[in-house]
Amino acid sequence: MGRAKIKRGSTTVDMTPMCDVAFLLLTFFILAAKFKPPAAIKVVTPLSVSNKVAPQKDFLMVTISKDNKVFLDMDPALKGDVLDELAKERNLSFSAQDKQNFINAQFVGVPISQLKQFDELKPEQIKGTDLPGIPVDSTNDELQAWISAAVNAQMGQRLNFLIKGDATSKYSTFSQVIDAFKKNDQYKYDLVTTSEQVPEGSELYKKNIEEQLNGGKKPTE
Amino acid sequence: MAEMEVKESSKKGPGVKKSKKHSTRVDLTPMVDLGFLLITFFIFTTTVSQPTAMNLNMPKDTKDQQDLTKVKESGSLTLLLGKQNVVYYYYGNDPSTMKTTNYKDVRDIILKKKKSTPAADLFIIIKPDKDATYKDAVDILDEMDINDIPRYAMVDPTPDEYSKIQQTEQANGIK
């Protein structure tokens, strides 16, 4: 009786296609990723349990550095209008070139009087530690002027106010920033934080689980 | 394919040394491993760096006494944030009964107060003093979220409270 011979295949698999796929994906992810521009001001945000993603559109962001200086950043789409409005409110004049420089600049890090020179600097020349920041004290509250310009430039449309403070900055600076917003009748802010796990067993933890059990709906009050 | 065909040539003269033939096939498994490792790394780093935001609503400043929010003395807990992660707290209206705690234990104090007070009366007043850091304020606001406190407010401490904190800090040797 002739036994059917089982053909023994090799156990080594050709890894070439898999390698191709792996590197193709790698290349795709690297190219698709948006790179963070090297930040001139280093800010370490505090942790919070909030899981809401910070708005990326129509925002005005106030940054508080660890040496308690205040900087301003905004949605590039708004920059032109905001500068026009500021010029109107403060009786300043900016040439077309100044305006273009302002739009290209990463953020506002100096008092308005030095703004033109600051905007001409290249990103490599800007060092967060050398900048004076925007004055927020009650005698010369330029932050308030900026906020007012931004609010008026938006003409009633929604503007998201983000406050990104360094964990070690003083509360008093934050309080001054809040005051500048309050003077413009703006009372809702988003504090930029780094997300953290909700502590197990806490009230919020229980509430979140309840929400999940109810099919993602908030319990009706 | 990564292999090359190597032609067998048997036409070799006598005395010609036979060179040993190595396989040109390369094991790509480690390379695949590396590829996927990098992919995993990039995916994790890109999703984690997404910043989150925490909502904060501040009340309007009013000079009119009539418009001020009224808080029941029995339902209020005041938290004062001082230097070096120290929290001072007192119940009701009397700052002289101020006690000291820290950010870890403050949760128990808030929860105890929450359990012993009717929900409608509960009100937590947060007073970060001049020396508190921004992190302290965010931590306490976060604590309100974690413990599900519906009503709280952030205000400046009164001069009395501030001097009391400074006295306590000096007594405890906190600079």
Side-chain angles (χ1 to χ4, degrees):
Chain A
M1 283 264 269
R3 228 186 240 171
K5 253 191 195 167
I6 299 165
K7 210 184 172 190
R8 270 207 207 149
S10 159
T11 48
T12 43
V13 185
D14 186 20
M15 281 286 173
T16 327
M18 197 162 169
C19 187
D20 290 351
V21 171
F23 277 93
L24 185 83
L25 284 174
L26 184 63
T27 327
F28 171 74
F29 279 114
I30 290 179
L31 292 181
K34 254 195 278 171
F35 275 101
K36 255 199 238 162
I41 329 153
K42 259 198 181 161
V43 171
V44 182
T45 54
L47 301 172
S48 88
V49 295
S50 169
N51 52 12
K52 206 188 118 204
V53 175
Q56 303 285 318
K57 264 187 95 183
D58 294 339
F59 68 90
L60 183 86
M61 185 162 78
V62 178
T63 306
I64 305 168
S65 72
K66 68 169 183 282
D67 39 6
N68 302 317
K69 285 178 201 158
V70 176
F71 303 98
L72 187 76
D73 189 10
M74 62 190 99
D75 191 338
L78 306 175
K79 277 185 160 179
D81 293 342
V82 173
L83 192 71
D84 286 343
E85 190 65 35
L86 187 82
K88 214 163 74 188
E89 283 177 22
R90 288 231 152 188
N91 285 325
L92 301 164
S93 64
F94 293 102
S95 67
Q97 183 60 43
D98 290 338
K99 199 171 156 186
Q100 196 53 47
N101 285 343
F102 176 72
I103 293 170
N104 293 340
Q106 285 179 305
F107 59 93
V108 185
V110 290
I112 296 171
S113 56
Q114 299 170 31
L115 192 64
K116 285 181 195 174
Q117 292 93 309
F118 171 73
D119 287 342
E120 280 165 11
L121 295 174
K122 292 196 178 74
E124 306 90 73
Q125 292 171 299
I126 297 172
K127 269 197 198 129
T129 43
D130 303 338
L131 295 172
I134 298 170
V136 279
D137 46 285
S138 47
T139 48
N140 181 23
D141 198 343
E142 285 187 5
L143 184 66
Q144 191 203 333
W146 278 107
I147 296 167
S148 152
V151 170
N152 292 335
Q154 262 307 73
M155 289 184 290
Q157 283 181 57
R158 197 180 150 65
L159 193 58
N160 299 304
F161 297 111
L162 293 172
I163 301 175
K164 185 179 177 183
D166 191 277
T168 52
S169 66
K170 286 263 180 256
Y171 172 77
S172 50
T173 316
F174 173 72
S175 172
Q176 284 172 327
V177 171
I178 293 287
D179 282 343
F181 276 113
K182 275 186 179 172
K183 281 178 201 157
N184 286 301
D185 289 317
Q186 301 299 332
Y187 302 103
K188 283 181 94 174
Y189 326 104
D190 287 318
L191 309 184
V192 178
T193 52
T194 311
S195 161
E196 159 185 65
Q197 287 288 311
V198 179
E200 253 174 72
S202 64
E203 301 258 332
L204 184 69
Y205 185 76
K206 287 176 202 154
K207 207 169 126 189
N208 285 348
I209 287 181
E210 217 169 277
E211 267 177 37
Q212 273 174 12
L213 292 178
N214 291 342
K217 277 181 213 153
K218 282 186 180 175
T220 44
E221 278 167 27
Chain B
M1 281 289 177
E3 307 134 68
M4 276 196 292
E5 263 179 59
V6 182
K7 274 196 182 141
E8 294 272 328
S9 59
S10 51
K11 287 171 192 167
K12 268 177 187 164
V16 176
K17 252 192 194 168
K18 255 191 199 169
S19 60
K20 213 182 174 188
K21 275 193 198 108
H22 287 284
S23 163
T24 49
R25 221 183 153 119
V26 184
D27 185 15
L28 285 179
T29 323
M31 197 159 166
V32 175
D33 289 352
L34 180 78
F36 277 102
L37 186 83
L38 287 173
I39 291 177
T40 334
F41 170 75
F42 277 107
I43 289 177
F44 274 109
T45 45
T46 43
T47 44
V48 164
S49 66
Q50 187 72 270
T52 54
M54 183 178 166
N55 267 330
L56 176 66
N57 294 331
M58 292 297 271
K60 215 172 182 162
D61 284 335
T62 45
K63 291 195 176 70
D64 200 354
Q65 287 289 317
Q66 295 273 307
D67 294 343
L68 291 177
T69 317
K70 301 222 167 35
V71 180
K72 271 196 187 171
E73 200 181 321
S74 65
S76 87
L77 167 66
T78 306
L79 302 169
L80 297 130
L81 316 180
K83 276 181 217 168
Q84 294 198 358
N85 301 327
V86 183
V87 182
Y88 305 92
Y89 68 99
Y90 65 85
Y91 302 102
N93 223 343
D94 184 11
S96 60
T97 57
M98 200 156 84
K99 282 182 212 129
T100 309
T101 182
N102 56 37
Y103 285 93
K104 260 190 189 151
D105 302 333
V106 80
R107 186 172 302 160
D108 295 334
I109 292 159
I110 295 169
L111 281 177
K112 228 190 258 168
K113 181 72 187 165
K114 195 184 171 187
K115 281 203 183 103
S116 63
T117 334
D121 293 350
L122 182 70
F123 199 97
I124 295 188
I125 303 162
I126 305 164
K127 297 184 174 180
D129 89 1
K130 283 176 222 154
D131 308 309
T133 62
Y134 173 66
K135 180 179 178 289
D136 296 342
V138 171
D139 277 353
I140 278 292
L141 290 174
D142 211 26
E143 211 62 48
M144 299 297 121
D145 258 353
I146 291 171
N147 298 315
D148 197 16
I149 305 289
R151 299 205 307 156
Y152 55 89
M154 203 150 76
V155 285
D156 288 334
T158 59
D160 273 3
E161 286 164 338
Y162 187 61
S163 61
K164 183 100 184 17
I165 292 174
Q166 286 196 314
Q167 278 168 24
T168 325
E169 275 174 352
Q170 263 171 14
N172 293 337
I174 296 169
K175 273 171 201 166

